[in-house]
Every structure is written in C-alpha cells, then in structure tokens.
Amino acid sequence: MRKRLKPALLASVACLLLLSACGTAEKNNGSGTTETPPAEPVKLKFLTQVVDYPKYQDEINEALHKTYPNITVEFDHVFDNYDSVLKTKIATKDAPDLFNYAGYLAMKPFVDADQLLDLTEDKIEEGILPNFREGGKYNGKTYAVSTQVLGYGLIYNKQAFKEAGIDAPPKTLSELKTAVDKLNNVGITPFASGFKDVWLSYHMFWAMQGATLDDFQQFYDDMNAGKAKTKTDRLDKAFELFDLYNANDGQNPLSSDFANMSHLVGTKQAAMAIQGVWSYEEMVKLDPNVELGLAPIPVSEDPQDATMLADGDGFIYISKDSKHPQEAKQFLEWMVSKEGAEATVGSILKQQSTSASNPKSELNALSADVAKYIEEGGKTRGFVINFWPSGLADIIGKEMQDYIAKKKTRDQLFDNIDASWKKLYKP
C-alpha cells in the first residue's frame, strides 16, 4: 500500500515541478515575478499576384504586429508568368513561405507533388463563411483559405456613358455594338485594353469562357476524358465581343498594360474595360472623383446570358518547405480574423472579405456593385480558371496575344489550347 505524502511535502514537490517546467520558458524580471521572453522574430516570404499587398506592406505589417509582433511579412509581387515563377521557386528549393494561387482543382499538381502544407487539422477555414470553404479543399483535405470575394465584369466610366447618351450598361452584343457607335460619335474610345500583359490576355479568355459554361466541373471531367473541346458554340459567339473589343480600343492592344488600361478608363479617355474589382485603385489614381460601375458581361443576343463572375478568391497556401510553418499558419489565421480582414481586405483592398467575423469593409465602387448584384439575386458564375490545369493560364495568354496580332486564327487558338490541356493534365 502506497503511503500518502504529507500536505506540506506535496506542495513543495508541486512547486519544484512547476519551477522546473517553467524555468526554461520564463525569467525573473527583478521584482520577484516572472515573464515570458518575446518570441523570436520571423520574416515570412509571400509570393503574390495581388497588386496592392506589396504597396501597403508597411501598413499590413503594422496591423499584424498588434497581434503577432514577432511576425513580419515580405511580399514579392509578380505581374506576368506567375505560374512559371512560382514553380521555378518551388523546384529550386526557393519556395516562398506563403503564396497566392487559384483554388479548387487548380491546386491538384501541387498536392500530387506533396508541395503544400496540409491545413486540415488546423481548421483555419472555420474562420471564413461556409460557402467559401470548398475552394480551398482537394480530396477532402484543406490546403488553402480564401480571403476575398472578387467580382469580374464590364467596368464602365459613368460620365463617358452619360456623354454618349448610354442610359444603362449593355446586356447583349447588339446593345454593346450600339454603345460602341455612340461612344465613337462623341470622340470617346470605347475600350481600353492591357493585352501587353499575359495575365490580362488570359483573363479575357477566362471572362468569355466563364460566362458561357454552366458546369465547370463537368467541363473539366469531359476535357480530361477526351469528350469535350474548348471551342463551344457559345464561346465561339462570345468571341464577337473580343473582336469588337480589339477593333475599338483606339491603339495597338499589345502596347498597353494593366496600368495604362486602368488610367484610360479612369480619366474617361476610354469608356470600358472587361476586368475585375482589383482594378479600382489604379483606375482612380489620376482622378479620384471618377465614377465607375461594374456590370455583367454581354456574350450573346440573349440578355439573360449576360453574366457577372463572382467567387471566393485570394487563396493563400503555405509551402510544405516553409521553415516557419507555425508562424505562416498564424498569419493565415490573422488574415481571416476580424482584425486582419479589416486591415487588409477591408481597408487596403476595399473588397468584400470571406471572414465569418463580420469585419467592417470600405467597399470600393466596383466591389459595391458586385455585392449589390449578388444581394439582388443576379446571376453569377464562379471563376473557371480554377478548373484549368496548372500552367494553362500563361499558355492561353500567349495564344490570345497571337490571336490579337493575327498570327493565329480562332480555330488555331482553340486547337492549341486543347493540345496544351491534354499535355498538362495529369490523372
């Protein structure tokens, strides 16, 4: 039978054990009490396509330090050939700690190659609204978390429309052609393009395909099974929009980049651009008082086909090779917290956040139109780029540039995309 320790002795043993356990984690501050030493400073590298993150890096870190004073994020922004840059960094063991990439099936090659940190057990996605959680999952496991609700459509300068006598954004291709004629008649260039940038070129294809496909998953499965082709009657019809665009942008479309496109629309030198809500800050840079709107994209003669693209986006992944996985997870948790969402998506990007904590958000005019359209029950489709094989985006961008330059026909463009899909897809 085991003898019981006397109470005084038991208390002494407990104190000794407590001091022993805490001795390496705490130090005496000279007043008889102890304090935990500050965590070691950590710098996280974040590769991103988001234009504003590097621009506001200091402000983001200032807000982050209120919660995690030891973590600093260094943003590395890549405009073009993002796929290639990211894959090269990972292949050469120079992977960033965190990076942005498309969600849903786009992550498949990274998962197959075991290049992503599995976040399933961390349950970080529980910090975002339920309807935006699936995009960060693959085969039932979580690898990314969406941080933004983004919209993509027909951006238009309201003053340009007013001067041309255009009462409302066009919903059909015929209405768009009429609007183009009215704008030309008053000396305002109808469209601004930025097709010098590969990413803007494949964005245009993404816009037309996304607005003309009803089931992205079915299309993905059928393409992989050899049962479908990129060219559909609806997408072929939508290319009339692209041809109209290129014929009325007032300049060589391959000489204009994202910044120039944005400035032309923002200063009323051009009336329209097919782009996303992330364009807003660049568009208002030269004229902060410009009035902009975002409307569904007309792709046929049926107004019901006009579509706004909207989805959870801003997916953030953590590289499996990160030397600071714990801090990277803490940053990701902070991004979807009320404080992080307000400091980044809400006040810097001025877009809707996916955060479930109901953060305050200063929506820009374009994001406000997306929110209103969704609230009113307007038809939206997600982002079909999430269902392209990894690496296809840059290829499509270059094919679109060749089509603009009349180096390839529309059928050649479609055939080349089909061939590239077959080459890139890995079961």
Side-chain angles (χ1 to χ4, degrees), residues 15-30 32-39:
C15 288
L16 285 171
L17 289 172
L18 182 61
L19 289 171
S20 175
C22 299
T24 56
E26 298 181 340
K27 64 181 180 180
N28 196 289
N29 65 7
T33 59
T34 57
E35 60 183 22
T36 303

Side-chain angles (χ1 to χ4, degrees), residues 149-152 156 158 167-169 171 277 292-296 308-310 350-352 361 363-380:
V149 181
L150 297 182
Y152 192 105
Y156 62 101
K158 293 184 178 181
D167 297 326
K171 292 183 178 180
V277 297
L292 301 170
L294 191 143
M308 185 178 290
L309 309 178
K350 292 182 173 58
Q351 295 163 2
Q352 288 178 282
S361 189
L363 296 184
N364 66 47
L366 303 182
S367 289
D369 276 353
V370 176
K372 181 180 177 183
Y373 192 74
I374 294 173
E375 186 179 347
E376 291 175 349
K379 181 176 64 178
T380 62

Side-chain angles (χ1 to χ4, degrees), residues 56-72:
Y56 293 97
Q57 179 170 293
D58 291 344
E59 289 85 346
I60 292 173
N61 281 311
E62 182 181 354
L64 173 64
H65 290 164
K66 293 176 182 177
T67 305
Y68 295 110
N70 65 309
I71 302 175
T72 298

